[in-house]
Amino acid sequence: MNPSVYCTIGPFFPAEFSDGCSDLTRNNGKVARGEHILLSGRVLEEGGKPTVNTIVEIWQPDANGIFRHALDPRCGQADPGFFGWGRARTDADGWYRFRTVLPGSYEWEGNMRCPHLNMMVLAIGLTRRLVTTAFFPEDPTNASDLVLDSVSDLAMRARLIAKRDPSADAAGAAGYRFDLILRGAEETPFFVD
Amino acid sequence: MKTAVQPHTGYWPYNDQTQMDRQIPRYPRSFTRVPAHPLTERPLTLTELTGPAGIENRLGVEALDLSHAAPEEPRALGQLILVSGRVMDEDGSPIAGAVIEIWQANSCGKYIHELDRFDAPLDPNFTGQGRLITDFEGRYQFLSVKPGAYPVIESGWWWRPPHIHFSIFGPSWMNRYVTQIFFPGEPLNQIDVLLNGVKDEEARQTLIFEAPPPEMGDVQRIPFHRDFVLRGKRATPELP
C-alpha cells in the first residue's frame, strides 16, 4: 500500500499542543544530564519574512548519544531525565526556542555521527513536512559526518551548523542560533523525505 | 549486557505521484515557502530510524469525545459523528500505540485559535482538539460533531470544505505524519485547492472519509471511517 497523502498543518494548529513542549531538559521529574543549551532561531520565507505559528519539532539523542528507543542497542543506558522530542511554534517575528541538551555523538555502521539533532518544519504553504539536521560548531567530527557530507555545496553545508550565540546565554545554558530559511537567499538545505 | 535484535523497518522516499503537489496554483504561500533548491539525498541513520516512542507518557492521551467540552456539560452544537479507522504500515500490519492529535473547526466553521478571524461564533461546549492512542490492532475512534466550512479570509474567494486535521506519531521519525481528511459529497470539495492538489484520483480519494451506512437502530450518530498507512515496510532479511 502507498503511504497516506500528506497535507499542510494549516494556520490553526492548537497552541495547547505545543505549549510546554519546548523544554527537553526534564523528564519524569528528573533533570537531563549533560550540557544544557538554548537553541533558537527564526523560520523565514522568501524575502526574509517571518512565518507565524510554524511548528518546529526536534528529535535527538541524549548527552551520551543514546536514544530512548528500542532500536538503539544502548537504550537501557538512556538518561532517565531526557526523552529527546520537542515542539515549538514560531511567534509573530518567526522565532522558535528550545531548551535542550547538547546531543552526544554515536557510532553508526562503523562511522561516527557527530552531535546533531533532527528538525522538521510544518507550516501553511507546505503540503509536506520539511526535514533537516542541525549540527554544532567547533565539533572536530563535523568533518566526517555521513549526513553533513551529503550536502556537497560547502556554503550550503555551513548553513546546517548552528552558531554559538553568547548573547542568548541564560540560566546556565549556552545559546545557539539556527535559522530555518525555507526559501530564498541563504536557503537552508533540506533533505529528501 | 544482552541486546535484543530489533526488527528492522525499511523506508523509501514518498512517491510524489501519489502525494499532494508541493506547489499549487492559487495557494500563494506554497510559492514563498517551498525550497527553491532541490532536496538533498542523505543516508538514514539511527536518528531517523528511531523516534519518540512512548510519547503518550509525555503528552497524555484519552478516550476521545470531542462532542462535549467536559463530560458533564451539554453536547456541542452540530451533527454528531463517530470517526474511526486503523493505522497500519505499508505491509498492512497494524501500528499499535500510534498517538493521534486531532483538531477541527466547530459546526459553524470556527476554530478556537487567536489567528482565526472568521466572524462565526464559538461554541462553549466544543474545544475541537484532543489526543488519543491506537489499540493493539491499530484502531482509533472518537466522537465529535461535523465541522463547518470556513473562508480563507485573505484569499477573498476560497472556502475550505469541512475537514478534520490529523497529526500522527508512528514508531519513528520517518513516519511522523500530518494531514486533513474531508467529508464525502461536499460541493466545496470540487474547488478546494489542497484536496485537488492531489492529481492521482485514487490517492485523492484517500483524503476523504468513507461513509459506511449507520448501524440499524443507531439514530444517534453518523459513522465516518478513514484508515491511514504510515511509511515503513518490514525489510526483507538479508542473506548471510
Side-chain angles (χ1 to χ4, degrees), chain A residues 7-8 124-125 127, chain B residues 20-31 152 155 157-161 180 182 188-199 204 207:
Chain A
C7 187
T8 179
I124 308 171
T127 57
Chain B
M20 191 171 290
D21 288 350
R22 288 180 183 274
Q23 293 188 305
I24 301 174
R26 306 192 89 184
Y27 187 39
R29 291 275 171 69
S30 67
F31 292 90
V152 180
S155 73
W157 64 273
W158 180 16
W159 276 75
R160 297 300 323 282
Q180 306 178 16
F182 299 78
L188 290 169
N189 287 351
Q190 303 300 322
I191 58 163
D192 187 70
V193 298
L194 295 174
L195 182 57
N196 293 287
V198 186
K199 293 295 184 295
R204 186 167 64 249
L207 284 184

mmCIF file of all heavy atoms in Angstrom, chain A residues 7-8 124-125 127, chain B residues 20-31 152 155 157-161 180 182 188-199 204 207:
data_model
loop_
_atom_site.group_PDB
_atom_site.id
_atom_site.type_symbol
_atom_site.label_atom_id
_atom_site.label_comp_id
_atom_site.label_asym_id
_atom_site.label_seq_id
_atom_site.Cartn_x
_atom_site.Cartn_y
_atom_site.Cartn_z
ATOM 1 N N CYS A 7 -0.792 16.392 4.059
ATOM 2 C CA CYS A 7 -1.390 17.691 3.756
ATOM 3 C C CYS A 7 -0.844 18.706 4.761
ATOM 4 O O CYS A 7 -0.337 18.338 5.816
ATOM 5 C CB CYS A 7 -2.913 17.618 3.826
ATOM 6 S SG CYS A 7 -3.751 19.132 3.274
ATOM 7 N N THR A 8 -0.965 19.965 4.433
ATOM 8 C CA THR A 8 -0.405 21.012 5.301
ATOM 9 C C THR A 8 -1.046 21.019 6.692
ATOM 10 O O THR A 8 -2.207 20.663 6.857
ATOM 11 C CB THR A 8 -0.575 22.400 4.648
ATOM 12 O OG1 THR A 8 -0.033 23.388 5.534
ATOM 13 C CG2 THR A 8 -2.031 22.726 4.396
ATOM 14 N N ILE A 124 1.794 26.571 7.027
ATOM 15 C CA ILE A 124 0.967 26.929 5.874
ATOM 16 C C ILE A 124 1.874 26.976 4.648
ATOM 17 O O ILE A 124 3.002 27.471 4.729
ATOM 18 C CB ILE A 124 0.358 28.340 6.043
ATOM 19 C CG1 ILE A 124 -0.344 28.494 7.367
ATOM 20 C CG2 ILE A 124 -0.591 28.673 4.900
ATOM 21 C CD1 ILE A 124 -0.737 29.956 7.616
ATOM 22 N N GLY A 125 1.379 26.505 3.523
ATOM 23 C CA GLY A 125 2.170 26.561 2.298
ATOM 24 C C GLY A 125 3.016 25.326 2.073
ATOM 25 O O GLY A 125 3.482 25.101 0.961
ATOM 26 N N THR A 127 2.808 21.497 1.854
ATOM 27 C CA THR A 127 1.894 20.356 1.834
ATOM 28 C C THR A 127 2.552 19.122 2.438
ATOM 29 O O THR A 127 1.878 18.165 2.791
ATOM 30 C CB THR A 127 1.419 20.045 0.404
ATOM 31 O OG1 THR A 127 2.555 19.816 -0.428
ATOM 32 C CG2 THR A 127 0.603 21.199 -0.162
ATOM 33 N N MET B 20 0.330 15.005 -2.473
ATOM 34 C CA MET B 20 -0.150 16.318 -2.887
ATOM 35 C C MET B 20 1.006 17.076 -3.563
ATOM 36 O O MET B 20 2.161 16.942 -3.141
ATOM 37 C CB MET B 20 -0.626 17.058 -1.636
ATOM 38 C CG MET B 20 -1.403 18.336 -1.899
ATOM 39 S SD MET B 20 -2.118 18.970 -0.345
ATOM 40 C CE MET B 20 -3.389 17.738 0.000
ATOM 41 N N ASP B 21 0.689 17.868 -4.580
ATOM 42 C CA ASP B 21 1.722 18.689 -5.197
ATOM 43 C C ASP B 21 2.347 19.598 -4.131
ATOM 44 O O ASP B 21 1.660 20.053 -3.208
ATOM 45 C CB ASP B 21 1.134 19.557 -6.313
ATOM 46 C CG ASP B 21 0.759 18.733 -7.541
ATOM 47 O OD1 ASP B 21 1.132 17.541 -7.599
ATOM 48 O OD2 ASP B 21 0.096 19.284 -8.435
ATOM 49 N N ARG B 22 3.636 19.888 -4.292
ATOM 50 C CA ARG B 22 4.291 20.775 -3.323
ATOM 51 C C ARG B 22 3.935 22.233 -3.577
ATOM 52 O O ARG B 22 3.868 23.028 -2.644
ATOM 53 C CB ARG B 22 5.809 20.604 -3.407
ATOM 54 C CG ARG B 22 6.281 19.288 -2.845
ATOM 55 C CD ARG B 22 7.794 19.192 -2.954
ATOM 56 N NE ARG B 22 8.272 17.909 -2.482
ATOM 57 C CZ ARG B 22 8.539 17.642 -1.206
ATOM 58 N NH1 ARG B 22 8.381 18.566 -0.281
ATOM 59 N NH2 ARG B 22 8.981 16.458 -0.860
ATOM 60 N N GLN B 23 3.743 22.574 -4.846
ATOM 61 C CA GLN B 23 3.353 23.946 -5.180
ATOM 62 C C GLN B 23 2.057 23.882 -5.968
ATOM 63 O O GLN B 23 1.940 23.132 -6.940
ATOM 64 C CB GLN B 23 4.455 24.641 -5.960
ATOM 65 C CG GLN B 23 5.699 24.854 -5.086
ATOM 66 C CD GLN B 23 6.744 25.713 -5.745
ATOM 67 O OE1 GLN B 23 7.181 25.418 -6.847
ATOM 68 N NE2 GLN B 23 7.132 26.783 -5.067
ATOM 69 N N ILE B 24 1.072 24.667 -5.534
ATOM 70 C CA ILE B 24 -0.273 24.573 -6.083
ATOM 71 C C ILE B 24 -0.727 25.971 -6.498
ATOM 72 O O ILE B 24 -0.673 26.906 -5.678
ATOM 73 C CB ILE B 24 -1.250 23.997 -5.027
ATOM 74 C CG1 ILE B 24 -0.778 22.598 -4.570
ATOM 75 C CG2 ILE B 24 -2.671 23.939 -5.574
ATOM 76 C CD1 ILE B 24 -1.586 22.020 -3.429
ATOM 77 N N PRO B 25 -1.173 26.162 -7.758
ATOM 78 C CA PRO B 25 -1.692 27.463 -8.161
ATOM 79 C C PRO B 25 -2.816 27.929 -7.227
ATOM 80 O O PRO B 25 -3.608 27.110 -6.765
ATOM 81 C CB PRO B 25 -2.231 27.202 -9.579
ATOM 82 C CG PRO B 25 -1.470 26.001 -10.054
ATOM 83 C CD PRO B 25 -1.215 25.170 -8.831
ATOM 84 N N ARG B 26 -2.899 29.195 -6.943
ATOM 85 C CA ARG B 26 -3.873 29.808 -6.042
ATOM 86 C C ARG B 26 -3.652 29.404 -4.577
ATOM 87 O O ARG B 26 -4.542 29.585 -3.744
ATOM 88 C CB ARG B 26 -5.319 29.512 -6.469
ATOM 89 C CG ARG B 26 -5.587 29.905 -7.923
ATOM 90 C CD ARG B 26 -7.052 29.873 -8.244
ATOM 91 N NE ARG B 26 -7.676 31.163 -7.957
ATOM 92 C CZ ARG B 26 -8.986 31.387 -8.079
ATOM 93 N NH1 ARG B 26 -9.802 30.432 -8.437
ATOM 94 N NH2 ARG B 26 -9.487 32.572 -7.816
ATOM 95 N N TYR B 27 -2.473 28.849 -4.279
ATOM 96 C CA TYR B 27 -2.066 28.609 -2.886
ATOM 97 C C TYR B 27 -0.732 29.332 -2.733
ATOM 98 O O TYR B 27 0.335 28.730 -2.791
ATOM 99 C CB TYR B 27 -1.944 27.108 -2.633
ATOM 100 C CG TYR B 27 -1.697 26.716 -1.189
ATOM 101 C CD1 TYR B 27 -2.338 27.373 -0.141
ATOM 102 C CD2 TYR B 27 -0.835 25.675 -0.874
ATOM 103 C CE1 TYR B 27 -2.115 27.004 1.167
ATOM 104 C CE2 TYR B 27 -0.609 25.292 0.432
ATOM 105 C CZ TYR B 27 -1.251 25.959 1.444
ATOM 106 O OH TYR B 27 -1.030 25.590 2.759
ATOM 107 N N PRO B 28 -0.814 30.670 -2.549
ATOM 108 C CA PRO B 28 0.383 31.506 -2.740
ATOM 109 C C PRO B 28 1.552 31.160 -1.823
ATOM 110 O O PRO B 28 2.707 31.253 -2.238
ATOM 111 C CB PRO B 28 -0.128 32.934 -2.489
ATOM 112 C CG PRO B 28 -1.521 32.816 -1.976
ATOM 113 C CD PRO B 28 -2.036 31.442 -2.294
ATOM 114 N N ARG B 29 1.270 30.770 -0.581
ATOM 115 C CA ARG B 29 2.387 30.501 0.333
ATOM 116 C C ARG B 29 3.243 29.319 -0.119
ATOM 117 O O ARG B 29 4.402 29.199 0.266
ATOM 118 C CB ARG B 29 1.854 30.244 1.753
ATOM 119 C CG ARG B 29 1.274 31.475 2.426
ATOM 120 C CD ARG B 29 2.376 32.280 3.107
ATOM 121 N NE ARG B 29 1.942 33.571 3.601
ATOM 122 C CZ ARG B 29 1.113 33.768 4.622
ATOM 123 N NH1 ARG B 29 0.610 32.749 5.270
ATOM 124 N NH2 ARG B 29 0.795 34.980 5.003
ATOM 125 N N SER B 30 2.669 28.457 -0.961
ATOM 126 C CA SER B 30 3.497 27.325 -1.426
ATOM 127 C C SER B 30 4.600 27.820 -2.359
ATOM 128 O O SER B 30 5.578 27.112 -2.590
ATOM 129 C CB SER B 30 2.630 26.259 -2.106
ATOM 130 O OG SER B 30 2.075 26.721 -3.321
ATOM 131 N N PHE B 31 4.457 29.049 -2.870
ATOM 132 C CA PHE B 31 5.487 29.596 -3.764
ATOM 133 C C PHE B 31 6.493 30.466 -3.016
ATOM 134 O O PHE B 31 7.514 30.842 -3.580
ATOM 135 C CB PHE B 31 4.841 30.381 -4.910
ATOM 136 C CG PHE B 31 4.083 29.476 -5.840
ATOM 137 C CD1 PHE B 31 2.742 29.199 -5.611
ATOM 138 C CD2 PHE B 31 4.718 28.860 -6.909
ATOM 139 C CE1 PHE B 31 2.041 28.332 -6.443
ATOM 140 C CE2 PHE B 31 4.028 27.988 -7.739
ATOM 141 C CZ PHE B 31 2.687 27.727 -7.510
ATOM 142 N N VAL B 152 -11.127 31.205 3.706
ATOM 143 C CA VAL B 152 -9.756 31.671 3.903
ATOM 144 C C VAL B 152 -9.803 33.168 3.629
ATOM 145 O O VAL B 152 -9.897 33.605 2.483
ATOM 146 C CB VAL B 152 -8.782 30.955 2.941
ATOM 147 C CG1 VAL B 152 -7.352 31.452 3.158
ATOM 148 C CG2 VAL B 152 -8.874 29.444 3.126
ATOM 149 N N SER B 155 -7.808 35.196 1.079
ATOM 150 C CA SER B 155 -7.925 34.818 -0.339
ATOM 151 C C SER B 155 -9.016 35.610 -1.050
ATOM 152 O O SER B 155 -8.925 35.879 -2.230
ATOM 153 C CB SER B 155 -8.232 33.326 -0.463
ATOM 154 O OG SER B 155 -9.581 33.072 -0.084
ATOM 155 N N TRP B 157 -11.799 34.471 -1.847
ATOM 156 C CA TRP B 157 -12.668 33.573 -2.628
ATOM 157 C C TRP B 157 -12.705 32.132 -2.142
ATOM 158 O O TRP B 157 -13.633 31.399 -2.439
ATOM 159 C CB TRP B 157 -12.209 33.536 -4.091
ATOM 160 C CG TRP B 157 -10.833 32.941 -4.246
ATOM 161 C CD1 TRP B 157 -9.641 33.595 -4.162
ATOM 162 C CD2 TRP B 157 -10.515 31.556 -4.448
ATOM 163 N NE1 TRP B 157 -8.598 32.718 -4.303
ATOM 164 C CE2 TRP B 157 -9.109 31.457 -4.484
ATOM 165 C CE3 TRP B 157 -11.280 30.383 -4.601
ATOM 166 C CZ2 TRP B 157 -8.443 30.230 -4.659
ATOM 167 C CZ3 TRP B 157 -10.612 29.178 -4.785
ATOM 168 C CH2 TRP B 157 -9.209 29.114 -4.813
ATOM 169 N N TRP B 158 -11.709 31.728 -1.388
ATOM 170 C CA TRP B 158 -11.532 30.291 -1.124
ATOM 171 C C TRP B 158 -12.269 29.884 0.154
ATOM 172 O O TRP B 158 -11.958 30.378 1.225
ATOM 173 C CB TRP B 158 -10.050 29.994 -1.020
ATOM 174 C CG TRP B 158 -9.649 28.580 -0.756
ATOM 175 C CD1 TRP B 158 -10.412 27.447 -0.878
ATOM 176 C CD2 TRP B 158 -8.356 28.135 -0.333
ATOM 177 N NE1 TRP B 158 -9.674 26.338 -0.571
ATOM 178 C CE2 TRP B 158 -8.404 26.721 -0.235
ATOM 179 C CE3 TRP B 158 -7.154 28.781 -0.037
ATOM 180 C CZ2 TRP B 158 -7.296 25.964 0.155
ATOM 181 C CZ3 TRP B 158 -6.066 28.023 0.340
ATOM 182 C CH2 TRP B 158 -6.135 26.634 0.428
ATOM 183 N N TRP B 159 -13.238 29.004 0.027
ATOM 184 C CA TRP B 159 -13.896 28.395 1.183
ATOM 185 C C TRP B 159 -13.355 26.991 1.382
ATOM 186 O O TRP B 159 -13.391 26.178 0.459
ATOM 187 C CB TRP B 159 -15.417 28.326 0.981
ATOM 188 C CG TRP B 159 -16.116 29.598 1.362
ATOM 189 C CD1 TRP B 159 -16.133 30.763 0.656
ATOM 190 C CD2 TRP B 159 -16.892 29.826 2.542
ATOM 191 N NE1 TRP B 159 -16.863 31.715 1.322
ATOM 192 C CE2 TRP B 159 -17.344 31.161 2.482
ATOM 193 C CE3 TRP B 159 -17.235 29.043 3.648
ATOM 194 C CZ2 TRP B 159 -18.139 31.728 3.488
ATOM 195 C CZ3 TRP B 159 -18.023 29.602 4.643
ATOM 196 C CH2 TRP B 159 -18.459 30.941 4.563
ATOM 197 N N ARG B 160 -12.855 26.758 2.609
ATOM 198 C CA ARG B 160 -12.393 25.401 2.922
ATOM 199 C C ARG B 160 -13.601 24.517 3.182
ATOM 200 O O ARG B 160 -14.457 24.866 3.985
ATOM 201 C CB ARG B 160 -11.510 25.391 4.182
ATOM 202 C CG ARG B 160 -10.206 26.174 4.117
ATOM 203 C CD ARG B 160 -9.231 25.727 3.039
ATOM 204 N NE ARG B 160 -9.151 24.301 2.777
ATOM 205 C CZ ARG B 160 -8.488 23.408 3.525
ATOM 206 N NH1 ARG B 160 -7.830 23.767 4.578
ATOM 207 N NH2 ARG B 160 -8.455 22.119 3.175
ATOM 208 N N PRO B 161 -13.659 23.345 2.525
ATOM 209 C CA PRO B 161 -14.740 22.404 2.839
ATOM 210 C C PRO B 161 -14.552 21.830 4.244
ATOM 211 O O PRO B 161 -13.455 21.911 4.797
ATOM 212 C CB PRO B 161 -14.575 21.306 1.782
ATOM 213 C CG PRO B 161 -13.280 21.529 1.107
ATOM 214 C CD PRO B 161 -12.704 22.842 1.554
ATOM 215 N N GLN B 180 -5.112 16.303 6.476
ATOM 216 C CA GLN B 180 -6.502 16.761 6.664
ATOM 217 C C GLN B 180 -7.393 15.763 5.933
ATOM 218 O O GLN B 180 -7.084 15.380 4.810
ATOM 219 C CB GLN B 180 -6.721 18.140 6.039
ATOM 220 C CG GLN B 180 -5.753 19.197 6.494
ATOM 221 C CD GLN B 180 -5.959 20.537 5.819
ATOM 222 O OE1 GLN B 180 -6.999 20.800 5.211
ATOM 223 N NE2 GLN B 180 -4.966 21.407 5.911
ATOM 224 N N PHE B 182 -11.310 14.967 4.516
ATOM 225 C CA PHE B 182 -12.510 15.662 4.057
ATOM 226 C C PHE B 182 -13.737 14.756 4.126
ATOM 227 O O PHE B 182 -13.611 13.546 4.293
ATOM 228 C CB PHE B 182 -12.279 16.137 2.613
ATOM 229 C CG PHE B 182 -11.124 17.098 2.480
ATOM 230 C CD1 PHE B 182 -9.803 16.637 2.473
ATOM 231 C CD2 PHE B 182 -11.343 18.458 2.412
ATOM 232 C CE1 PHE B 182 -8.740 17.526 2.377
ATOM 233 C CE2 PHE B 182 -10.285 19.349 2.306
ATOM 234 C CZ PHE B 182 -8.985 18.882 2.289
ATOM 235 N N LEU B 188 -18.003 21.932 -1.861
ATOM 236 C CA LEU B 188 -16.754 22.697 -1.788
ATOM 237 C C LEU B 188 -15.525 21.831 -2.056
ATOM 238 O O LEU B 188 -14.441 22.359 -2.333
ATOM 239 C CB LEU B 188 -16.627 23.379 -0.426
ATOM 240 C CG LEU B 188 -17.606 24.531 -0.160
ATOM 241 C CD1 LEU B 188 -17.560 24.929 1.318
ATOM 242 C CD2 LEU B 188 -17.277 25.740 -1.028
ATOM 243 N N ASN B 189 -15.671 20.503 -1.957
ATOM 244 C CA ASN B 189 -14.536 19.621 -2.284
ATOM 245 C C ASN B 189 -14.068 19.855 -3.723
ATOM 246 O O ASN B 189 -12.887 19.676 -4.036
ATOM 247 C CB ASN B 189 -14.918 18.141 -2.135
ATOM 248 C CG ASN B 189 -15.045 17.719 -0.674
ATOM 249 O OD1 ASN B 189 -14.690 18.465 0.241
ATOM 250 N ND2 ASN B 189 -15.575 16.522 -0.454
ATOM 251 N N GLN B 190 -15.001 20.251 -4.593
ATOM 252 C CA GLN B 190 -14.666 20.390 -6.017
ATOM 253 C C GLN B 190 -13.685 21.536 -6.265
ATOM 254 O O GLN B 190 -12.991 21.543 -7.282
ATOM 255 C CB GLN B 190 -15.937 20.652 -6.849
ATOM 256 C CG GLN B 190 -17.004 19.580 -6.703
ATOM 257 C CD GLN B 190 -16.523 18.204 -7.126
ATOM 258 O OE1 GLN B 190 -15.786 18.080 -8.097
ATOM 259 N NE2 GLN B 190 -16.908 17.180 -6.374
ATOM 260 N N ILE B 191 -13.668 22.541 -5.375
ATOM 261 C CA ILE B 191 -12.825 23.710 -5.624
ATOM 262 C C ILE B 191 -11.721 23.886 -4.583
ATOM 263 O O ILE B 191 -11.004 24.874 -4.608
ATOM 264 C CB ILE B 191 -13.658 25.016 -5.671
ATOM 265 C CG1 ILE B 191 -14.420 25.220 -4.364
ATOM 266 C CG2 ILE B 191 -14.611 25.009 -6.860
ATOM 267 C CD1 ILE B 191 -14.930 26.640 -4.165
ATOM 268 N N ASP B 192 -11.583 22.931 -3.656
ATOM 269 C CA ASP B 192 -10.554 23.099 -2.634
ATOM 270 C C ASP B 192 -9.175 22.916 -3.264
ATOM 271 O O ASP B 192 -8.886 21.880 -3.868
ATOM 272 C CB ASP B 192 -10.753 22.107 -1.490
ATOM 273 C CG ASP B 192 -9.804 22.388 -0.345
ATOM 274 O OD1 ASP B 192 -9.998 23.420 0.330
ATOM 275 O OD2 ASP B 192 -8.857 21.604 -0.144
ATOM 276 N N VAL B 193 -8.312 23.928 -3.106
ATOM 277 C CA VAL B 193 -7.020 23.853 -3.791
ATOM 278 C C VAL B 193 -6.128 22.758 -3.202
ATOM 279 O O VAL B 193 -5.319 22.173 -3.911
ATOM 280 C CB VAL B 193 -6.264 25.205 -3.791
ATOM 281 C CG1 VAL B 193 -7.050 26.262 -4.532
ATOM 282 C CG2 VAL B 193 -5.922 25.662 -2.403
ATOM 283 N N LEU B 194 -6.282 22.489 -1.912
ATOM 284 C CA LEU B 194 -5.440 21.449 -1.322
ATOM 285 C C LEU B 194 -5.883 20.064 -1.778
ATOM 286 O O LEU B 194 -5.089 19.286 -2.308
ATOM 287 C CB LEU B 194 -5.469 21.557 0.206
ATOM 288 C CG LEU B 194 -4.860 22.842 0.764
ATOM 289 C CD1 LEU B 194 -5.061 22.914 2.274
ATOM 290 C CD2 LEU B 194 -3.379 22.922 0.431
ATOM 291 N N LEU B 195 -7.164 19.757 -1.579
ATOM 292 C CA LEU B 195 -7.663 18.433 -1.978
ATOM 293 C C LEU B 195 -7.367 18.170 -3.454
ATOM 294 O O LEU B 195 -6.925 17.079 -3.833
ATOM 295 C CB LEU B 195 -9.161 18.338 -1.697
ATOM 296 C CG LEU B 195 -9.831 16.997 -2.022
ATOM 297 C CD1 LEU B 195 -9.169 15.836 -1.287
ATOM 298 C CD2 LEU B 195 -11.324 17.055 -1.683
ATOM 299 N N ASN B 196 -7.581 19.178 -4.289
ATOM 300 C CA ASN B 196 -7.360 18.992 -5.723
ATOM 301 C C ASN B 196 -5.896 19.153 -6.129
ATOM 302 O O ASN B 196 -5.556 19.021 -7.300
ATOM 303 C CB ASN B 196 -8.269 19.934 -6.514
ATOM 304 C CG ASN B 196 -9.730 19.535 -6.340
ATOM 305 O OD1 ASN B 196 -10.169 18.532 -6.879
ATOM 306 N ND2 ASN B 196 -10.462 20.288 -5.533
ATOM 307 N N GLY B 197 -5.056 19.418 -5.122
ATOM 308 C CA GLY B 197 -3.610 19.390 -5.353
ATOM 309 C C GLY B 197 -3.062 17.976 -5.409
ATOM 310 O O GLY B 197 -1.867 17.775 -5.612
ATOM 311 N N VAL B 198 -3.930 16.980 -5.182
ATOM 312 C CA VAL B 198 -3.545 15.574 -5.366
ATOM 313 C C VAL B 198 -4.036 15.154 -6.742
ATOM 314 O O VAL B 198 -5.235 15.015 -6.965
ATOM 315 C CB VAL B 198 -4.151 14.665 -4.270
ATOM 316 C CG1 VAL B 198 -3.613 13.246 -4.407
ATOM 317 C CG2 VAL B 198 -3.871 15.215 -2.883
ATOM 318 N N LYS B 199 -3.107 14.977 -7.680
ATOM 319 C CA LYS B 199 -3.507 14.713 -9.068
ATOM 320 C C LYS B 199 -4.013 13.283 -9.267
ATOM 321 O O LYS B 199 -4.875 13.023 -10.090
ATOM 322 C CB LYS B 199 -2.324 14.976 -10.013
ATOM 323 C CG LYS B 199 -1.923 16.444 -10.077
ATOM 324 C CD LYS B 199 -3.043 17.287 -10.684
ATOM 325 C CE LYS B 199 -2.629 18.738 -10.835
ATOM 326 N NZ LYS B 199 -2.391 19.395 -9.531
ATOM 327 N N ARG B 204 -6.250 10.824 -4.144
ATOM 328 C CA ARG B 204 -7.101 11.905 -3.642
ATOM 329 C C ARG B 204 -8.264 11.351 -2.827
ATOM 330 O O ARG B 204 -8.656 11.919 -1.806
ATOM 331 C CB ARG B 204 -7.610 12.773 -4.794
ATOM 332 C CG ARG B 204 -8.387 13.999 -4.324
ATOM 333 C CD ARG B 204 -8.602 15.010 -5.435
ATOM 334 N NE ARG B 204 -9.420 14.491 -6.508
ATOM 335 C CZ ARG B 204 -9.011 14.217 -7.737
ATOM 336 N NH1 ARG B 204 -7.750 14.404 -8.075
ATOM 337 N NH2 ARG B 204 -9.830 13.743 -8.635
ATOM 338 N N LEU B 207 -8.054 10.922 0.910
ATOM 339 C CA LEU B 207 -8.157 12.074 1.818
ATOM 340 C C LEU B 207 -9.615 12.346 2.203
ATOM 341 O O LEU B 207 -9.907 13.343 2.861
ATOM 342 C CB LEU B 207 -7.567 13.334 1.167
ATOM 343 C CG LEU B 207 -6.042 13.419 1.108
ATOM 344 C CD1 LEU B 207 -5.621 14.762 0.526
ATOM 345 C CD2 LEU B 207 -5.417 13.230 2.482
#
